[in-house]
Structure formats: C-alpha cells, structure tokens
Amino acid sequence: MEKKVEQTVDDLQKLAEKQEKLSKESKDKKNTTEDLAKKQEEQKAEFEKAMEKYKEAQEKNKELEQPYQMEDFDQQKEEVAQEFGKGKKSLDEKKRSKASQSQKKNAQSLSQMSKQMQQMMDQQMQQQQTEDLNNLKQTIYNLTTSYLDQQDLI
C-alpha cells in the first residue's frame, strides 16, 4: 500500500514537471496547437491513471488490520481535472497564452498535491513507528519483570 502511494507521489511530481514544460511549449509558436492538445490529453490520461493507483492504495488500506488515515484529495482531483480541461479547450481555440497559464497553474496544483500526499504518508509512518516503539518498550518491560519474578522464586 505504501509503495502505491509512493508511486502516485512520484507520478504526480513527474506530471507537474511535464505540465510546466507543456506550459512553456504552448507559448512557443513552433509547436502546433493540435500537437499541444494531444500532449495535454495524454497528460490528463496519466493523471487519471495515477489517481487510479491512489484509489487502489486506499482500497488496500481499508483491508489492513490497522488502516492509515488517508485523505481522498477529491477537491484537488477535481481542480486538476478542470485545469486539464481548460488547457485543452484553450488549445482547441488556439489561445496559447491562456492554455499556458492554465497548464502552469495545473503544474503547481499537481506539485502541491504530490507534496501533501508525501506529508500524509510521512506522518502516518512516523505515527506507526512511535506505536511500534511503545510496543517494544512494553515488551522489554514485561520480559524484565518476568525475569526478575523468576529470580525471586529461585
């Protein structure tokens, strides 16, 4: 489950970089708007795939004995999806500058979403480690107490 979330974080960060690059390409008149729109659609598909991975991780998490508290990121997903749509629409209408702005905004949203997911997992892992450490301390205490009780009997 952690691996799927880590993959999603990486995928979102790479996608943010691709959107940033596409934003710059959209300003450049060398590229046709059709090619740019195609790249925009491909990146949207990559985003949807990354969100599917995250959803799978959430499902696996629910099956755990002690599941992590995982955010849905529904609002961020919706905003990113809308920006992909705005970017594509602007390219279809041959409005390069507007498309570039939308893509740049999307790159920032994707990067932020990636960071939030990473922070969420880091926090969950830290909480799990603290719990494991407390359990280990209790086990050592119990073993020591048992050993001392046995020594008293001898």
Side-chain angles (χ1 to χ4, degrees):
M1 189 274 307
E2 292 97 348
K3 204 171 223 175
K4 280 199 183 289
V5 175
E6 289 295 327
Q7 287 174 338
T8 303
V9 168
D10 289 343
D11 291 348
L12 290 176
Q13 195 56 47
K14 287 176 187 171
L15 196 52
E17 292 166 8
K18 286 181 179 180
Q19 273 288 281
E20 186 70 36
K21 183 179 176 191
L22 189 60
S23 169
K24 291 174 184 170
E25 289 176 4
S26 292
K27 288 180 182 177
D28 189 357
K29 303 252 189 236
K30 291 180 202 170
N31 303 302
T32 67
T33 53
E34 291 81 16
D35 289 342
L36 296 168
K38 184 180 176 189
K39 286 183 182 179
Q40 182 78 0
E41 279 297 312
E42 289 169 358
Q43 290 178 13
K44 182 180 181 184
E46 288 178 41
F47 173 70
E48 289 169 355
K49 200 175 194 179
M51 291 298 92
E52 268 306 308
K53 271 189 211 170
Y54 185 72
K55 191 174 183 174
E56 289 171 14
Q58 285 179 306
E59 293 300 320
K60 285 189 182 244
N61 181 55
K62 288 176 185 175
E63 295 170 7
L64 294 176
E65 202 171 295
Q66 293 180 327
Y68 293 125
Q69 293 177 346
M70 294 178 70
E71 294 180 40
D72 286 333
F73 295 101
D74 287 337
Q75 183 178 351
Q76 290 96 325
K77 285 186 226 176
E78 186 63 33
E79 288 172 11
V80 169
Q82 285 177 354
E83 286 302 321
F84 272 118
K86 286 179 186 177
K88 171 86 167 63
K89 183 178 178 189
S90 295
L91 287 169
D92 289 343
E93 296 172 353
K94 311 247 188 267
K95 297 178 181 175
R96 290 174 177 271
S97 178
K98 194 173 180 182
S100 178
Q101 288 174 348
S102 185
Q103 291 157 344
K104 191 170 188 76
K105 181 180 177 186
N106 217 14
Q108 291 170 344
S109 296
L110 286 163
S111 183
Q112 182 180 9
M113 189 177 187
S114 171
K115 287 176 185 168
Q116 287 175 337
M117 274 187 194
Q118 185 63 55
Q119 287 173 344
M120 175 194 70
M121 283 309 294
D122 289 346
Q123 185 179 15
Q124 292 296 321
M125 296 302 281
Q126 185 177 8
Q127 187 177 350
Q128 184 64 43
Q129 288 174 346
T130 301
E131 193 175 308
D132 291 347
L133 183 62
N134 288 337
N135 289 338
L136 185 59
K137 285 179 182 178
Q138 184 63 45
T139 302
I140 290 171
Y141 174 79
N142 290 343
L143 285 170
T144 305
T145 304
S146 176
Y147 175 76
L148 293 174
D149 286 347
Q150 286 180 351
Q151 288 299 319
D152 288 343
L153 289 174
I154 297 176

